[in-house]
Amino acid sequence: MSDNSFGIGLVGKLVAATLAVVFLTVGTMVVATQWTFQAGFTDYLARAEAQRLQPLVERLARYHAEAGGWDYLRGRPHVWDNLLRETLNEGSGFGYPPGPPTGRPPPRWESAKGPPERPNGVGRRLHLMASDGTPLVGPAQLPSDAPGFQRVPVEVNGREVGYLRLMAAPLATDGLDREFRRDQVRALYLIAAAAGVFALLIALPLGRHFLFPIRRLAAGARALAAGDYGTRLTISRKDELGRLADDFNHLAEVLERTERLRREGMANVSHELRTPLATLKAEVEAMQDGIRPLDARQLESLGGTVEQMNRLVDDLYQLALADVGALVYRKIWIELDSLVEESTRAARTALAERGLALMIDVEPGILVEGDPIRLRQLLDNLLQNSRRYTDAGGSVTVALRRHGDAVELEVADSAPGVDGAVLPHLFDRFYRVESSRNRATGGAGLGLALVKAIAEAHGGRVWTRPAPLGGVAVSVRLPMSQEGGG
């Protein structure tokens, strides 16, 4: 996929997602606004109508107190109609005929006249009910689309003597109401369009802002895949993409270092094998040509050369097994202090031949879980490394101590020392401080690499530092069992 198509796809998806969120949000707002407006406006109208009934409630309460009941209003709809006209400025709208004479003067509201009734006025939806729910007066028929009613109590001296039952007004469906609703929806649609344009103006530059480092990362990944391990990204950001760029650069550094070590390893292996092979070939040809006699001394020399090659091949084989996780470890509970004493006792003679004094400081009773053969190999490699690189007349110190829930094994030697910048590279394969490959001064540079592999396989770690005696101190820290924690 090209950069262009990749960019269009990413920006397009971001814009589409942004627009989808905007339109979904606005659409939800349209539906919610219509519903809440209708419900809220209907509730508002109901409360307004209930408040408008308060003068009628007061007149009814006075009437009940004066008349001692509802007998005069019961069955006299014309009185009810006049009362509505006086208090609400509208009648019931059902044209009630005048009631029969009562022989006493009617209340003063009985002869009042009001304006014409409205089709959906309050009077056409209002009943007066006794306190027990019995209808007293009101329209005989109600609008068929009346959705419900509300109850407005009539009280005398704190006691409810009746109540007004007001049916809710049907929703208006005239042209003015439809026009109002259309205006509201049209306004929301305009808001949605404006929000969509605003989202585009934000999403496009935002998408390109995120796209630039992603394109750089993609180009860098292709360069790494093509073998250009010197590729680095210069993306100065403080967000996740910036951290991803830092991780990419770290990965590129690791790959570059691994490739360099691989190439150096191949060259070093070739060099390490070529030297003893050339020596072996020269010795054999000399014996074949009669230049050197074929005796026990010459055979011993050839055997030493073969043994040297055998150790190199064995070290390479074990490192290869460690790389693929196939190096066998048979772990048991062992007394590490006893293993250290045995290994140093065996190495004392070889160190003395080099003129090196051996000092031991071992804390007793240290129990660890590990492979005794591999741990012995680890210590032997450290002692052999010190024997090879320490000047005659010096000394080697082996210390074993507890450190909390771990144990630390340290092998330190005397001069010569190593520059601090070189110390981290001592565990690299085939790395040796001196530039030559003369075996008189050192091995193939695989011993410390094996030490690191064995320590890590036991859940430990290894590091180096300048030794107080003037040489190099190699420390190995391993987890220790609770039984051996002392």
Side-chain angles (χ1 to χ4, degrees), residues 236-310:
S236 301
R237 298 172 66 108
K238 301 298 183 182
D239 54 8
E240 287 78 3
L241 289 174
R243 290 192 290 272
L244 182 60
D246 293 339
D247 293 339
F248 177 91
N249 290 336
H250 178 69
L251 173 63
E253 292 174 2
V254 172
L255 291 175
E256 185 178 28
R257 179 171 176 268
T258 302
E259 177 64 14
R260 184 180 68 254
L261 290 177
R262 186 189 67 82
R263 293 177 179 177
E264 292 176 355
M266 293 296 295
N268 293 333
V269 168
S270 300
H271 184 86
E272 294 292 340
L273 290 176
R274 184 171 62 248
T275 300
L277 283 174
T279 301
L280 186 63
K281 180 181 179 181
E283 292 290 337
V284 171
E285 289 178 348
M287 286 185 290
Q288 288 176 340
D289 295 339
I291 300 176
R292 292 183 182 274
L294 182 60
D295 53 19
R297 181 181 177 183
Q298 295 299 326
L299 291 177
E300 183 179 356
S301 175
L302 294 178
T305 304
V306 172
E307 180 62 24
Q308 176 182 319
M309 295 175 59
N310 183 66

Side-chain angles (χ1 to χ4, degrees), residues 472-484:
V472 176
V474 181
S475 298
V476 179
R477 182 166 292 185
L478 302 173
M480 186 172 58
S481 72
Q482 294 181 356
E483 292 83 348

